Amino acid sequence: MLAGTFTFAQSPITIGNSNMPGSGDTLRYTDIQLSSLGNYTQTGVNFTWNFYNVISTTEGVRSFKSSFQTPYALFFLSLNEYGEKIADTLGAGPFVMTKYYNFYKKQTSPNAFIADGAGITFSNVPLPSYYSDKDELYNFPMSYPKYDSTSFRFSTIATTLIPVRYTKTGYRATRVDGWGTVTTPFGTANCLRLVTTQYAMDSIKTSLGPLVIPFGFPNFQRSYQWFTTTSKIPFLEVTGTLVGGIFTPTLARYRGYEIPVNTTGLNDFGGDRAVMLYPNPVKDQVRIQMQESAPVSLYDAQGRLIQVDQFESKQENYVLDVSALAPGIYFIKAGSPDKQSNFKFIKQ
């Protein structure tokens, strides 16, 4: 009984440099309580990942600027170079550093989105540091299936101002191991799923007078990421450490924010005009109980109208056949604009 057709992911998407963040992008994200994640390692072809029931915690923003709009414009001169402020202040005591930025670059040879360097300010002096071997975070076109491995090397600048030098060297292995649709509290979208693993050795050299003390340690990290064509950063990501082949998640977040829509089934429609939607989640049919005539509209997770119908009060309830819908999150608006109830439901 659908007025139009609506399908998700019947063929894999492709991600390119145009789908990466750029100048002026301010991208919201929401952190996830790790214990609520469920099974995030499963994957497949035309797969459905449902993380709708994760517990949202704090929200944050990732902001990207043209390198020319940062304090390090003279050091990262490129139209395709973008800076992201990581912190206003780092360190303590005599080693307080300010204006910490990471820099990324969209390049065509190779076609990749790379980590290019970092900038800090110490004693009011801007200090850039570079990757002598660029870290290709994503190689394009990114599609299913794909595997690539690239090396990297990064060192902070050697200066008498800061008697500590940090170096990271290693390689990154990335596999696109699935595609389909992914659902979070923000919505549902077509995606590629990739797993990227950094195998690095970190080393620090510190000078105390004429004495140089070096020490190093392995830094193995893994990230499960779900990318869409519009999210610019992962639509969902789970990152953590890899020690002895055992992955331990330390952070999970999804793009956007939790949409505050009633999902309990009962909503005050004004006066005694109660509205109830059930069951939720649903497989085949969703029912809406109302006490007076009202228009009923069905939308997908991107806000696109799928169907409009009219509920008549003489009906016992309104029955909507959703068996043809792809799994994901949908919305129903019932009532006139000034007396409207909004529902979010999950199609299994």
Side-chain angles (χ1 to χ4, degrees), residues 63-121:
S63 297
F64 296 83
K65 297 181 178 180
S66 166
S67 62
F68 302 114
Q69 297 175 310
T70 73
Y72 309 99
L74 295 177
F75 306 103
F76 295 94
L77 292 171
S78 173
L79 292 176
N80 291 320
E81 192 97 33
Y82 306 101
E84 178 185 14
K85 181 183 283 190
I86 304 302
D88 289 313
T89 304
L90 288 176
F95 298 110
V96 173
M97 295 164 281
T98 62
K99 303 175 185 177
Y100 173 28
Y101 280 76
N102 279 342
F103 286 88
Y104 308 94
K105 188 175 183 180
K106 296 180 181 181
Q107 65 177 31
T108 57
S109 182
N111 188 4
F113 186 74
I114 67 170
D116 198 22
I120 60 171
T121 296

Side-chain angles (χ1 to χ4, degrees), residues 14-20 80 105-115 134-143 146 148 150:
T14 299
I15 303 294
N17 244 326
S18 62
N19 306 116
M20 294 291 105
N80 291 320
K105 188 175 183 180
K106 296 180 181 181
Q107 65 177 31
T108 57
S109 182
N111 188 4
F113 186 74
I114 67 170
K134 308 300 185 184
D135 187 0
E136 289 90 357
L137 300 175
Y138 306 106
N139 286 283
F140 306 119
M142 191 160 60
S143 58
K146 185 174 183 178
D148 60 67
T150 59

Side-chain angles (χ1 to χ4, degrees), residues 219-345:
N219 181 5
F220 295 174
Q221 299 181 17
R222 176 166 291 168
S223 179
Y224 296 85
Q225 301 179 4
W226 289 257
F227 255 99
T228 76
T229 57
T230 59
S231 59
K232 296 193 175 181
I233 57 176
F235 194 79
L236 174 75
E237 62 180 321
V238 181
T239 62
T241 58
L242 191 65
V243 179
I246 299 175
F247 175 72
T248 303
T250 58
L251 179 146
R253 61 178 51 159
Y254 60 85
R255 173 78 167 87
Y257 53 93
E258 185 167 356
I259 298 176
V261 178
N262 175 36
T263 60
T264 62
L266 182 63
N267 189 31
D268 185 3
F269 192 43
D272 59 351
R273 294 168 291 187
V275 180
M276 181 175 291
L277 178 147
Y278 66 95
N280 189 7
V282 60
K283 289 185 178 180
D284 299 314
Q285 291 184 333
V286 63
R287 297 176 180 269
I288 304 173
Q289 290 185 348
M290 293 186 287
Q291 295 182 3
E292 65 177 41
S293 300
V296 178
S297 303
L298 173 67
Y299 297 84
D300 66 27
Q302 281 69 46
R304 295 173 295 202
L305 180 64
I306 299 174
Q307 178 178 345
V308 178
D309 207 345
Q310 179 70 29
F311 169 78
E312 301 296 340
S313 59
K314 62 183 178 181
Q315 298 174 250
E316 182 177 349
N317 52 46
Y318 174 80
V319 179
L320 176 64
D321 183 1
V322 296
S323 58
L325 293 177
I329 292 178
Y330 296 88
F331 299 89
I332 285 179
K333 294 183 179 180
S336 58
D338 59 331
K339 297 177 181 178
Q340 191 172 81
S341 295
N342 300 322
F343 295 95
K344 178 167 63 176
F345 71 91

